[in-house]
Amino acid sequence: MNKLKSFIIILAVILGVGLNVNAATTTTQPAINLENPIQTAHVSYMAANPLDMIARPSFYLNKNVKIRAKFDKFSTLGLDYTPAMRSSEDYISFLIQRPDVPDHNIPLSEMKIFLKRSEAEKHIDLNSGDEIEFSGKVFSKALGDIWMDVDKFVVLTTKPKSDKESK
C-alpha cells in the first residue's frame, strides 16, 4: 500500500512538472517584422559601472548595458580598426570622463564607444562635463578594451558655459 501511495505521488509530481514545462515552452513570443527593422523585440539593459567594465571586459562582452557618465569629447579613437571595425564614414566615437578622478578631466580611453554620426550631429554642442546616459551593446574586447555600439543617447544635464567659453 505504501508503494502504491508513493507511486501515485511521484506520478502526480511528474505530471505537474511536465504540464508546467509544456506551458512555459508554448507561450507565444511577439512577432518580429523583418520588413520593418524598427519593430524588434524589447531589449533590456543592465546598469553598468564603466570602471567595472574595463576591469572585466570578458564579463560584459555581448551584453546590453546602460551607463551614466560625464561626457568628455567626441573623438576618432578606435574608428577603422579592422578587428572591431566601425567605419569613420558612419560612426564617431566619444569619450567619457574617468569617474575615479573627480578633480580633473581625464578621459576613460579604455572604452571605445561608437555613436552613429547622424545621432552625434544632434549633440555637437556638448561640453566636457555634461552628464549623459547611453545604452548599447558591448560587441568586442579587442586589445583588452571595451568596444560598444550605442543604441540610445540622452543628455541629462549641461554645464553653463563660462565667460571664457562664450567669447
Side-chain angles (χ1 to χ4, degrees):
M1 190 65 172
N2 284 337
K3 287 184 181 182
L4 182 60
K5 286 182 182 177
S6 297
F7 176 74
I8 291 172
I9 291 172
I10 291 172
L11 185 60
V13 169
I14 291 173
L15 284 174
V17 170
L19 291 175
N20 285 337
V21 168
N22 187 33
T25 58
T26 59
T27 59
T28 59
Q29 295 293 323
I32 297 174
N33 183 349
L34 297 177
E35 293 177 17
N36 185 357
I38 294 173
Q39 292 180 340
T40 59
H42 176 72
V43 176
S44 60
Y45 298 90
M46 63 187 257
N49 177 313
L51 295 176
D52 186 47
M53 291 178 69
I54 64 171
R56 303 184 310 150
S58 294
F59 174 80
Y60 288 95
L61 183 63
N62 296 318
K63 294 222 169 83
N64 295 312
V65 297
K66 179 187 279 190
I67 299 169
R68 281 184 165 220
K70 288 188 177 182
F71 178 82
D72 190 62
K73 63 183 151 232
F74 287 108
S75 170
T76 58
L77 185 66
L79 291 169
D80 299 319
Y81 178 63
T82 305
M85 185 61 172
R86 293 297 179 264
S87 168
S88 58
E89 292 179 14
D90 301 324
Y91 291 89
I92 189 75
S93 61
F94 66 91
L95 296 167
I96 59 173
Q97 293 178 1
R98 290 190 68 90
D100 57 342
V101 185
D103 54 343
H104 291 82
N105 293 341
I106 299 177
L108 188 64
S109 60
E110 297 91 338
M111 288 187 76
K112 290 20 174 210
I113 312 166
F114 301 99
L115 186 62
K116 293 241 184 216
R117 281 192 177 270
S118 58
E119 180 65 20
E121 288 169 357
K122 298 174 188 173
H123 305 287
I124 57 172
D125 56 343
L126 279 175
N127 294 305
S128 182
D130 289 348
E131 292 183 41
I132 59 171
E133 181 176 82
F134 55 97
S135 306
K137 185 171 187 171
V138 176
F139 69 89
S140 178
K141 59 178 186 137
L143 302 173
D145 289 347
I146 291 287
W147 297 69
M148 178 179 174
D149 280 330
V150 173
D151 301 326
K152 184 176 180 184
F153 186 91
V154 177
V155 177
L156 301 174
T157 62
T158 56
K159 289 181 9 182
K161 292 188 180 221
S162 68
D163 288 337
K164 286 188 228 175
E165 290 176 351
S166 61
K167 290 181 181 179

